[in-house]
C-alpha cells in the first residue's frame, strides 16, 4: 500500500539579531504557508474512507459556496 508522503525541501530559518522568538514565529508562518500544519492535523487520527469521502464532498461544497458568494460580490 503506497503512502501519501509529501516530498519537499527542508525549511530553514535564520536566527539573527531579532532573537529566537522571532525565528520561531517566522518558522510557524513558513510551515503554515507550506501546508505542513494542516497535513499534521489531517494525519493525527485515522479517518475511515467513507468519512474521508463525505469530508471531501463537504469541503468541495463549501468552496463552491464561497466562490459563488465571491462572484455575487464582484
Amino acid at each position: 500500500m503506497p503512502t501519501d508522503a509529501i516530498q519537499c525541501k527542508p525549511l530553514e530559518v535564520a536566527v539573527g539579531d531579532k532573537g529566537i522568538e522571532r525565528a520561531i514565529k517566522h518558522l510557524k508562518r513558513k510551515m503554515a504557508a507550506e501546508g505542513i500544519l494542516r497535513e499534521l492535523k489531517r494525519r493525527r487520527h485515522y479517518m475511515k474512507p467513507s468519512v474521508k469521502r463525505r469530508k471531501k464532498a463537504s469541503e468541495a461544497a463549501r468552496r463552491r459556496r464561497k466562490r459563488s458568494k465571491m462572484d455575487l460580490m464582484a
Side-chain angles (χ1 to χ4, degrees), residues 4-31:
D4 295 334
I6 296 175
Q7 298 293 328
C8 60
K9 62 184 180 202
L11 292 176
E12 293 181 2
V13 177
V15 180
D17 296 337
K18 307 231 177 181
I20 190 80
E21 299 298 323
R22 181 75 132 224
I24 290 172
K25 184 182 277 190
H26 193 67
L27 176 67
K28 285 182 179 179
R29 198 174 302 131
K30 275 188 170 185
M31 287 173 60

Side-chain angles (χ1 to χ4, degrees), residues 1 45-57:
M1 178 174 215
H45 302 288
Y46 176 74
M47 194 181 306
K48 293 187 343 186
S50 60
V51 174
K52 198 180 286 188
R53 279 193 302 270
R54 281 198 311 262
K55 185 169 179 68
K56 186 177 178 181

